[in-house]
């Protein structure tokens, strides 16, 4: 994993060589602050520290260091300010953002949303630090390209441990069998051993699901290209699920099994309810953690959790983003012999996930991976648990029906 | 004098259903009402617990099928509603006199079936309570891209057109018969004939002609040969659907089920009210012939789909076609339609083979078979997506009692609709001018 150390430097606070020429120079930031924040985040998780205390404790330090405290804050007016478009249109420099990413990463160890398992993984986080949706005005103009958050997924590193699947499912309080993130293990004719496909919503640049939605509940967020579902608008027709070629949508067929109680916020910066698991009768799928994108923490929970440096989240239209730098570095390393693909690209959906590795061929067969979903307490085949209550008349027929 | 008395008897006959209800009538209403009630209970159950009470599921890792009987029924009812108005429009535009006696029945069928079809969309939704607000809110955007938004629009438009059409043509009859209609519904008649004067007849019949003309264009081009099949044929992720042949196929199925149901309903009324004179055998024979023709059209399109899907098709299409061909339900449906087409075709050529009972019995076949075919089309399509690498693909679907109750509910609603409307309005047109012209 040498490229990991080459690519990342913000989590250590030290300046290192960045393998991509265009990468912006990075400056050391206050590593001390990061450590203290991380410690307190743990205290918060353990309930030794109250949320308001936690937020206020470092507010000044944040402002001093970054010029802005973009963490989620409980009081509603601050939330409005902190996560509104103003961050986007951006008074912050890219450098600041990268530093901010460092702190976000350090405190990710305590990211209370991840639960216990993530703590161990955090030490291994690797080069996923700068997954930021935010850009400086000058840079925007230069590329003149839209921001499209996406991922570079290095399947060569994936070992099918399902850490990310567990983290995602827990973070979003999804019902049993709802796998917004799914690791598909498969055997292919001409390739030895297990191959993995990280199947996730592709946050397509040309998403058919958005096209067909009769109420525009499914929509593409302008700011960063996230494809989201407005849980207040969706009428539950399931047309998006039918038309998505990837099968990434999961409907809330009954009452949600778990409440969203953990999330600090369920609405994004526009005030639309798009975060967490959907209510009954409404469609859900991977969201790319809009709360994180809005409040400046950036990155996505699955990528933060992956212990094997597989998931790289960022703006795929920006050659300087972490995923694109990772891709370029890997390409260089392989001397241009790197196999990459986008899934079902000929469907014209313009998927925003770039895979490093080999696309499953027609002869690929899904197999059981090294770690089973049951090992993590997850359900792989939802239909097995998708059962409504017995009808009131079932007793009359001997209790079966 | 003779002509006059003939008109009188005709009117007498037309007015038969409007008399006092019989025990049989009450029985029919009770049974249909019970069916409807049962369905409403099932629906309430679904509203309470969510769509989890159905056999549906997500496709992909879940191993389910997201649409089933509800959407199948939706298409089926729209199909039935279609043919109804086409028959009646045919009478008006092309002066198809044989179908004249069943024209209004067909129009009533259209309005009833279309309402039920709309209901099935609502039943299928996870959040039916939001439909109006949500749809209106972003309508300007969605109408540009969403086939479902197109569907809602065209169906609403179609409903308005057929209801207007029915209203326009019925005002004259109510006015003519005003002294003989049951007094207890006087307010209804007053409302319907509000502002009517016999002078408007000519203008109205011209309007009705244009409406019929619009419907004849709208139905094949926009509805069953348009937005309804487009719901499926534009979806590239499901190879079984993604084919330009869907539009004509849907139209052929609509016509098949529509003619079948008009035959059945006309026969029921003829039996009940002794309308052998009003709806003569000849009408049934002709309708049977048309049914044979559209059934043949349907079979021909199935052949095209199978040939294309089986010969040297891309993998996705082939998998979907194979799945269809391995399904006994599909072959049962096709076999039944073939049998019906054979008989109805034979009786067209050799009139000796015609018998009222046989034609009606055989007409039931394509009506039932098309419901199966439609549901199968949805389910098989969704069970065999293009991206079939998942362990849980092809998906499974076993409808639950809630979904099966919805079929009973739909049929009961139609029965109630006819039971009620036949007590209030003349369901055969009075117009005497056609009387003498019959061959
Ligand atoms: S992967 Fe599917 S759900 Fe996600 S944006 Fe693309 S079409 Fe929509
Ligand atoms: S299920 Fe909801 S989000 Fe999906 S197409 Fe229907 S209304 Fe839109």
């Amino acid at each position: 994993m040498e490229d990991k150390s080459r690519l990342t430097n913000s989590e250590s606070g030290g300046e290192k060589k960045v393998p991509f020429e265009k990468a912006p120079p990075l400056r050391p930031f206050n590593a001390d602050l990061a450590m203290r924040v991380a410690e307190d985040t743990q205290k918060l998780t353990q309930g030794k520290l109250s949320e308001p205390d936690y937020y206020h404790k470092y507010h000044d330090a944040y402002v001093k260091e970054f010029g802005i405290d973009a963490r989620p804050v409980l009081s509603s007016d601050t939330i409005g300010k902190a996560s509104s478009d103003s961050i986007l249109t951006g008074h912050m420099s890219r450098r600041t953002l990268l530093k901010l990413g460092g702190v976000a990463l350090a405190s990710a160890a305590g990211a209370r949303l991840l639960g216990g398992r993530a703590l161990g993984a955090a030490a291994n986080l690797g080069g996923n630090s700068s997954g930021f949706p935010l850009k400086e005005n000058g840079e925007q103009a230069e590329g003149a390209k839209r921001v499209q958050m996406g991922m570079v997924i290095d399947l060569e590193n994936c070992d099918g441990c399902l850490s990310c699947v567990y983290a995602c499912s827990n973070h979003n309080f999804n019902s049993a069998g709802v796998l917004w993130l799914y690791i598909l293990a498969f055997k292919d004719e001409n390739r030895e051993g297990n191959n993995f496909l990280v199947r996730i919503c592709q946050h397509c640049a040309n998403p058919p699901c958005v096209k067909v939605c009769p109420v525009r509940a499914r929509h593409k967020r302008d700011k960063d290209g996230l494809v989201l579902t407005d849980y207040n608008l969706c009428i539950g027709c399931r047309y998006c699920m039918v038309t998505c070629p990837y099968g990434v949508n999961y409907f809330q067929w009954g009452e949600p099994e778990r409440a969203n109680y953990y999330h600090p916020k369920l609405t994004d910066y526009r005030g639309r309810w798009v975060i967490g698991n959907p209510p009954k009768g409404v469609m859900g799928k991977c969201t790319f953690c809009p709360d994180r994108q809005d409040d400046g923490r950036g990155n996505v929970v699955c990528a933060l959790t992956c212990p094997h440096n597989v998931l790289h989240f960022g703006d795929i239209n920006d050659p300087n983003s972490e995923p694109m730098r990772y891709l370029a570095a890997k390409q260089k390393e392989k001397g241009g012999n790197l196999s990459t693909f986008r899934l079902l690209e000929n469907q014209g959906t313009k998927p925003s996930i770039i895979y490093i590795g080999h696309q499953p061929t027609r002869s690929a067969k899904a197999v059981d991976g090294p770690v089973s979903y049951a090992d993590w307490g997850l359900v792989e085949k939802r239909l097995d648990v998708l059962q409504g209550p017995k009808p009131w008349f079932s007793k009359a027929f001997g209790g079966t029906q | 004098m003779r002509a006059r008395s003939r008109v009188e008897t005709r009117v007498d006959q037309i007015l038969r259903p409007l008399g006092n209800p019989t025990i049989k009538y009450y029985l029919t209403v009770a049974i249909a009402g019970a069916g409807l009630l049962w369905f409403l209970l099932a629906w309430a159950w679904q509203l309470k617990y969510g769509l989890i009470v159905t056999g549906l599921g997500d496709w992909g890792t879940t191993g389910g099928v997201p649409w089933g009987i509800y959407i199948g029924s939706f298409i089926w009812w729209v199909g039935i509603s279609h043919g109804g108005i086409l028959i009646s429009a045919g009478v008006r535009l092309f002066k198809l006199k044989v179908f004249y006696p069943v024209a209004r029945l067909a129009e009533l069928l259209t309005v009833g079936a279309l309402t039920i079809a709309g209901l099935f969309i609502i039943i299928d939704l996870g959040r039916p309570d939001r439909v109006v607000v949500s749809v209106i809110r972003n309508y300007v955007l969605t109408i540009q891209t969403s086939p479902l938004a197109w569907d809602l629009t065209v169906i609403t438009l179609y409903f308005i057109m057929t209801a207007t059409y029915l209203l326009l043509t019925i005002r004259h009859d109510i006015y003519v018969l005003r002294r003989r209609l049951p007094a207890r519904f006087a307010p209804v008649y007053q409302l319907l004939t509000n502002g009517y004067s016999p002078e408007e007849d000519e203008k109205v019949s011209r309007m009705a002609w244009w409406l019929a003309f619009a419907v004849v264009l709208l139905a094949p081009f926009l509805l069953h040969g348009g937005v309804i099949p487009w719901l499926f044929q534009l979806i590239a992720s499901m190879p079984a659907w993604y084919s330009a042949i869907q539009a004509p196929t849907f139209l052929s199925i609509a016509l098949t089920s529509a003619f079948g149901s008009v035959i059945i309903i006309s026969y029921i009324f003829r039996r009940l009210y002794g309308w052998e004179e009003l709806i003569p055998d000849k009408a049934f024979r002709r309708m049977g012939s048309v049914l044979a023709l559209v059934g043949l059209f349907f079979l021909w399109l199935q052949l095209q789909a199978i040939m294309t899907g089986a010969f040297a098709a891309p993998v996705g299409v082939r998998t979907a076609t194979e799945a269809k061909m391995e399904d006994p339900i599909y072959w049962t449906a096709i076999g039944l339609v073939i049998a019906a087409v054979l008989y109805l075709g034979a009786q067209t050529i050799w009139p000796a083979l015609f018998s009222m009972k046989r034609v009606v019995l055989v007409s039931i076949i394509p009506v039932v078979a098309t419901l199966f075919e439609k549901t199968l089309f949805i389910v098989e399509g969704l069970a065999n997506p293009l991206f079939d690498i998942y362990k849980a693909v092809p998906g499974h679907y076993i409808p639950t009692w809630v979904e099966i109750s919805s079929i009973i509910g739909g049929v009961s609603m139609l029965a109630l609709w006819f039971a009620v409307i036949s007590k209030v309005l003349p369901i055969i047109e009075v117009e005497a001018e056609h009387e003498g012209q019959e061959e």
Side-chain angles (χ1 to χ4, degrees):
Chain A
M1 303 283 140
E2 47 169 348
D3 37 313
K4 189 195 292 182
S5 58
R6 279 163 56 192
L7 268 176
T8 155
N9 56 0
S10 44
E11 86 271 20
S12 63
E15 188 153 18
K16 288 181 185 168
K17 273 222 182 75
V18 181
F20 197 68
E21 296 119 9
K22 276 193 187 165
L26 296 168
R27 225 171 32 115
F29 73 97
N30 190 339
D32 226 33
L33 173 64
M35 283 310 294
R36 276 182 290 137
V37 172
E39 271 167 29
D40 277 346
T41 317
Q42 287 209 24
K43 279 189 198 157
L44 181 75
T45 331
Q46 293 153 4
K48 289 179 190 158
L49 194 68
S50 82
E51 279 192 85
D53 285 349
Y54 164 74
Y55 286 118
H56 290 135
K57 199 163 170 186
Y58 298 105
H59 182 71
D60 289 345
Y62 261 74
V63 173
K64 187 168 161 243
E65 179 72 11
F66 308 117
I68 185 172
D69 179 2
R71 296 169 303 161
V73 189
L74 290 183
S75 95
S76 55
D77 51 356
T78 336
I79 287 171
K81 266 183 227 137
S83 56
S84 79
D85 253 348
S86 65
I87 310 180
L88 265 188
T89 43
H91 309 292
M92 290 192 286
S93 72
R94 157 166 299 276
R95 212 169 292 152
T96 313
L97 290 173
L98 287 170
K99 286 196 300 180
L100 192 56
V103 172
L105 187 73
S107 41
R112 58 215 167 88
L113 310 172
L114 286 178
R117 280 176 200 252
L119 288 176
N124 249 328
L125 278 178
N128 298 318
S129 54
S130 60
F132 273 92
L134 317 173
K135 290 184 142 199
E136 213 175 41
N137 280 342
E139 279 167 324
Q140 272 275 39
E142 178 201 321
K145 278 209 172 151
R146 294 180 63 83
V147 177
Q148 173 62 62
M149 300 315 281
M151 277 187 176
V152 168
I153 297 185
D154 190 348
L155 298 174
E156 288 176 356
N157 287 353
C158 179
D159 72 349
C161 71
L162 309 189
S163 306
C164 54
V165 178
Y166 178 82
C168 169
S169 165
N170 245 13
H171 177 71
N172 293 296
F173 305 96
N174 279 327
S175 304
V178 174
L179 304 169
W180 287 1
L181 176 58
Y182 177 71
I183 307 293
L184 187 125
F186 64 95
K187 282 233 180 324
D188 225 333
E189 239 170 24
N190 311 315
R191 303 184 56 80
E192 306 233 312
N194 276 348
N195 298 282
F196 298 100
L197 180 70
V198 180
R199 194 242 46 200
I200 189 173
C201 169
Q202 311 282 314
H203 292 264
C204 307
N206 181 25
C209 61
V210 171
K211 235 182 196 167
V212 301
C213 179
V215 296
R216 265 297 189 283
R218 182 57 60 80
H219 63 281
K220 201 163 171 60
R221 195 164 85 161
D222 218 30
K223 152 181 159 187
D224 46 13
L226 265 53
V227 175
L228 299 168
T229 316
D230 188 323
Y231 298 156
N232 279 322
L233 267 182
C234 171
I235 54 173
C237 67
R238 312 186 291 293
Y239 205 5
C240 49
M241 173 193 286
V242 165
T243 198
C244 164
Y246 305 96
V248 304
N249 288 278
Y250 292 84
F251 191 63
Q252 198 69 273
W253 297 96
E255 244 2 291
E257 287 151 32
R258 295 188 282 172
N260 282 305
Y261 63 92
Y262 236 21
H263 272 287
K265 222 166 164 278
L266 295 174
T267 50
D268 71 350
Y269 77 96
R270 304 162 301 172
R272 295 176 78 169
W273 181 16
V274 295
I275 297 168
N277 65 337
K280 181 177 97 181
V282 167
M283 191 59 75
K285 65 156 191 72
C286 157
T287 58
F288 272 174
C289 307
D291 46 340
R292 299 191 68 93
Q293 313 316 319
D294 290 350
D295 64 26
R297 282 174 298 163
N299 219 326
V300 281
V301 169
C302 51
L304 284 166
T305 315
C306 175
H308 303 294
N309 204 15
V310 174
L311 309 164
H312 299 263
F313 177 82
D315 178 4
I316 56 158
N317 283 346
D318 174 8
N320 285 329
S321 68
E322 194 277 334
M324 296 320 274
R325 282 185 295 153
Y326 180 88
L327 183 64
K330 188 127 183 184
Q331 221 135 29
K332 216 167 172 188
E333 185 188 312
K334 292 269 164 111
N337 276 334
L338 193 67
S339 159
T340 63
F341 66 94
R342 299 201 196 198
L343 202 55
L344 304 182
E345 207 176 359
N346 60 359
Q347 291 291 296
T349 51
K350 302 211 178 101
S352 304
I353 308 280
I354 303 165
Y355 290 97
I356 300 176
H358 291 272
Q359 176 144 226
T361 64
R362 274 312 301 189
S363 56
K365 277 257 170 318
V367 293
D368 288 328
V371 179
S372 81
Y373 285 79
D375 290 344
W376 286 88
L378 298 163
V379 174
E380 189 174 7
K381 192 176 174 193
R382 192 185 186 194
L383 204 64
D384 294 342
V385 293
L386 209 56
Q387 226 125 57
K390 285 188 175 163
W392 73 88
F393 56 78
S394 70
K395 269 220 182 86
F397 296 97
T400 54
Q401 151 70 41
Chain B
M1 262 335 270
R2 227 183 122 245
R4 184 179 160 74
S5 71
R6 239 191 110 187
V7 173
E8 287 277 64
T9 39
R10 187 185 149 83
V11 169
D12 285 341
Q13 287 190 12
I14 288 174
L15 289 175
R16 269 178 207 163
L18 290 118
N20 283 332
T22 57
I23 298 282
K24 252 198 218 155
Y25 178 85
Y26 284 123
L27 216 64
T28 314
V29 171
I31 293 171
L36 179 58
L37 197 72
W38 175 254
F39 158 66
L40 290 178
L41 276 174
W43 192 16
W45 187 258
Q46 177 180 305
L47 288 175
K48 179 162 181 215
Y49 292 105
L51 285 162
I52 196 165
V53 302
T54 64
L56 302 167
D58 326 281
W59 77 267
T61 62
T62 302
V65 165
W67 286 346
I69 282 187
Y70 294 153
I71 297 291
S73 299
F74 158 68
I75 313 172
W76 189 63
W77 283 107
V78 182
I80 287 180
S81 85
H82 243 73
I85 203 73
L86 282 180
I87 289 176
S88 128
V91 170
R92 237 161 264 281
L93 291 180
F94 306 114
K95 309 272 181 270
L96 295 174
K97 296 243 167 50
V98 258
F99 298 145
Y100 185 75
V102 297
R104 181 160 299 152
L105 271 173
E107 286 157 23
L108 290 168
L109 176 65
T110 296
V111 174
L114 205 56
T115 312
I116 298 167
L119 188 69
F120 268 100
I121 295 195
I122 307 287
I123 298 169
D124 184 67
L125 298 180
R127 290 299 302 264
D129 52 313
R130 289 178 177 171
V131 66
V132 176
V133 176
S134 284
V135 168
I136 290 174
R137 218 165 114 170
N138 286 324
Y139 185 75
V140 183
L141 284 174
T142 57
I143 191 62
Q144 298 172 27
T145 58
S146 170
L148 200 49
W150 302 340
D151 266 61
L152 293 174
T153 311
V154 176
I155 287 179
T156 312
L157 183 70
Y158 189 58
F159 185 86
I160 294 171
M161 281 169 68
T162 49
T164 315
Y165 182 75
L166 187 65
L167 199 72
L168 281 178
T169 54
I170 217 162
R171 278 157 69 95
H172 166 84
D173 285 10
I174 296 176
Y175 181 78
V176 171
L177 298 173
R178 64 194 178 284
R179 274 176 240 288
R180 304 194 52 187
L181 293 171
R184 56 180 175 275
F185 300 124
V188 179
Y189 305 134
Q190 244 151 35
L191 193 74
L192 288 177
T193 55
N194 186 25
Y196 176 87
S197 75
E199 289 86 67
E200 79 176 35
D201 277 3
E202 202 190 322
K203 217 192 305 166
V204 161
S205 81
R206 222 177 318 129
M207 273 173 76
W209 192 92
W210 280 110
L211 262 176
F213 182 73
V215 165
V216 163
L217 285 182
L218 186 73
F221 281 93
L222 258 186
L223 201 53
H224 234 91
V227 295
I228 304 273
W230 290 346
L231 269 181
F232 310 95
Q233 89 173 36
L234 308 182
I235 304 305
S237 56
M238 304 292 156
W241 294 353
Y242 189 60
S243 151
I245 207 173
Q246 291 325 341
T249 306
F250 271 55
L251 189 63
S252 75
I253 293 173
L255 293 175
T256 309
S257 56
F259 271 92
S261 20
V262 173
I263 291 178
I264 296 167
I265 290 168
S266 314
Y267 177 72
I268 293 174
F269 275 101
R270 178 170 124 145
R271 269 296 294 272
L272 287 176
Y273 299 108
W275 278 347
E276 282 77 15
E277 259 180 64
L278 288 189
I279 316 177
D281 284 8
K282 199 174 67 189
F284 286 91
R285 238 194 88 201
R286 284 288 175 80
M287 283 194 279
S289 308
V290 178
L291 185 52
L293 207 65
V294 289
L296 198 64
F297 186 41
F298 162 74
L299 291 172
W300 175 65
L301 289 166
Q302 291 294 317
L303 176 71
Q304 306 308 321
I306 288 182
M307 278 310 288
T308 313
F311 184 71
V315 200
V317 181
R318 198 176 331 156
T319 317
T321 312
E322 276 164 10
K324 179 160 95 172
M325 289 173 65
E326 277 161 19
D327 198 318
I329 301 180
Y330 175 73
W331 288 113
T332 314
I334 293 294
L336 286 172
V337 175
I338 291 178
V341 166
L342 282 179
Y343 170 72
L344 293 169
Q347 65 89 24
T348 310
I349 302 168
W350 299 289
L353 287 174
F354 171 83
S355 110
M356 211 37 226
K357 283 243 164 64
R358 260 180 264 156
V359 166
V360 174
L361 276 178
V362 164
S363 303
I364 297 174
I365 293 175
V367 176
V368 177
T370 46
L371 175 59
F372 276 103
E373 200 280 336
K374 278 295 72 149
T375 306
L376 208 69
F377 168 80
I378 306 293
V379 172
E380 288 284 4
L382 288 167
N384 297 285
L386 179 82
F387 191 52
D388 58 357
I389 191 174
Y390 291 106
K391 270 187 230 166
V393 162
H396 286 283
Y397 170 62
I398 301 164
T400 61
W401 68 276
V402 180
E403 290 165 282
I404 291 167
S405 304
S406 76
I407 298 178
I408 301 172
V411 175
S412 302
M413 264 182 275
L414 192 75
L416 279 177
W417 162 246
F418 271 108
V420 170
I421 208 82
S422 65
K423 281 277 165 256
V424 183
L425 298 174
I427 53 174
I428 292 187
E429 290 190 49
V430 190
E431 205 115 338
E433 50 174 297
H434 299 267
E435 188 68 4
Q437 297 166 8
E438 257 187 75
E439 308 151 49

